[in-house]
Amino acid sequence: MDMIRRTVLKSAGATGVVAGLLATGMLKPTLAYADDWNKAAFEAKNMDGALDGIGAKGAADNKDLLVKAPEIAENGAVVPVDVTSNIPNTTSIAFLIAKNPSPLAAQFEFSNGAVADVSVRLKFAETSIVRVVAKADGKFYSAQREVKVTAGGCGG
Amino acid sequence: MADPMKIRAQMKGDVAEVRVLMSHAMETGTRKEADGKLVPAHHIQNMTVALNGKTVIAGQIAGSVSKNPVFGFKVKGAKAGDKVAVSWIDNKGDKRTDEAAVA
């Protein structure tokens, strides 16, 4: 329990949120589970920081990592992105959106027969590259796509 | 307590296709209300998909996953009747687990 408390205290920082957390009963043991969340990577404000956070700096481009995303998205709030990794022994896939305030959107790990094939729907703050990073045999590989986000009906 | 998830798991050849719809606001923490107040971050952080009790997919996600998240996964070695359980927990400690059988 002490460990959890410390994590919460640390993450709440100097903002004085702690009292609020206590009041709402959030300091429950269930938070231990949320310790698995890679806070540093998710809160990184740029692509390099986020890549660093997941240990994927210098990921090499790879054609066997297939990314499917719309070229133009009318609604940046819901952009479907499908990824299939044909790189053998792919164990994780991460999604990063370059121009978002925090690029890292999601990371999935596969085990026990899960196929390295994921589809998600992501938010794009503006027209941006979505970068997908796969981990296979301890190495990182990447692929990317640009999605143009049109505001209203007049973009293009 | 959040609304139940919708889970569909269907065999396509030797692979089970699992689709999950979660019901969640997925607030990034950067959105402002009309009155200029920031809406606090409230999003799912961790999720898992288990097949017959064995974790097959473990995901960490941010507020930049769309509201009411939809995910599609594929799992090899499944068969009709197998149990798929999906769980999530958000940054406020709310959580939910739902199950479905592979069809």
Side-chain angles (χ1 to χ4, degrees), chain A residues 18 24 28 57 68-69 80 103 142 147 151:
Chain A
V18 179
T24 53
K28 286 181 294 195
K57 233 181 179 177
K68 217 166 85 185
S142 106
V147 177

Side-chain angles (χ1 to χ4, degrees), chain B residues 10-92:
Chain B
Q10 221 162 15
M11 290 306 297
K12 288 258 169 77
D14 62 341
V15 172
E17 289 190 1
V18 181
R19 287 192 71 78
V20 188
L21 167 67
M22 299 175 180
S23 174
H24 204 285
M26 299 301 288
E27 286 293 350
T28 56
T30 56
R31 193 174 68 88
K32 282 180 182 156
E33 292 272 31
D35 61 3
K37 271 191 205 144
L38 271 182
V39 181
H42 184 205
H43 60 83
I44 295 170
Q45 287 191 321
N46 291 88
M47 54 159 296
T48 56
V49 180
L51 183 74
N52 293 333
K54 253 191 184 171
T55 299
V56 286
I57 288 133
Q60 301 181 40
I61 67 177
S64 46
V65 168
S66 300
K67 181 179 175 177
N68 296 330
V70 176
F71 300 104
F73 302 110
K74 289 178 182 169
V75 185
K76 249 187 194 155
K79 56 185 188 307
D82 281 357
K83 203 175 74 180
V84 176
V86 183
S87 305
W88 59 253
I89 182 165
D90 70 18
N91 63 324
K92 294 186 178 179

Side-chain angles (χ1 to χ4, degrees), chain A residues 7-57:
Chain A
T7 315
V8 171
L9 287 170
K10 208 164 70 186
S11 62
T15 52
V17 190
V18 179
L21 294 183
L22 282 165
T24 53
M26 265 184 61
L27 288 182
K28 286 181 294 195
T30 48
L31 267 181
Y33 186 56
D35 282 354
D36 295 338
W37 200 63
N38 191 343
K39 194 172 156 63
F42 277 107
E43 290 186 354
K45 299 293 176 215
N46 55 51
M47 184 61 92
D48 281 350
L51 284 173
D52 215 12
I54 58 171
K57 233 181 179 177

Side-chain angles (χ1 to χ4, degrees), chain A residues 107-136:
Chain A
Q107 183 168 27
F108 299 96
E109 283 171 26
F110 311 105
S111 52
N112 298 318
V115 183
D117 184 314
V118 185
S119 60
V120 294
R121 294 180 186 178
L122 304 174
K123 293 175 193 162
F124 281 62
E126 56 184 295
T127 295
S128 172
I129 277 170
V130 54
R131 192 154 171 192
V132 173
V133 175
K135 186 181 180 184

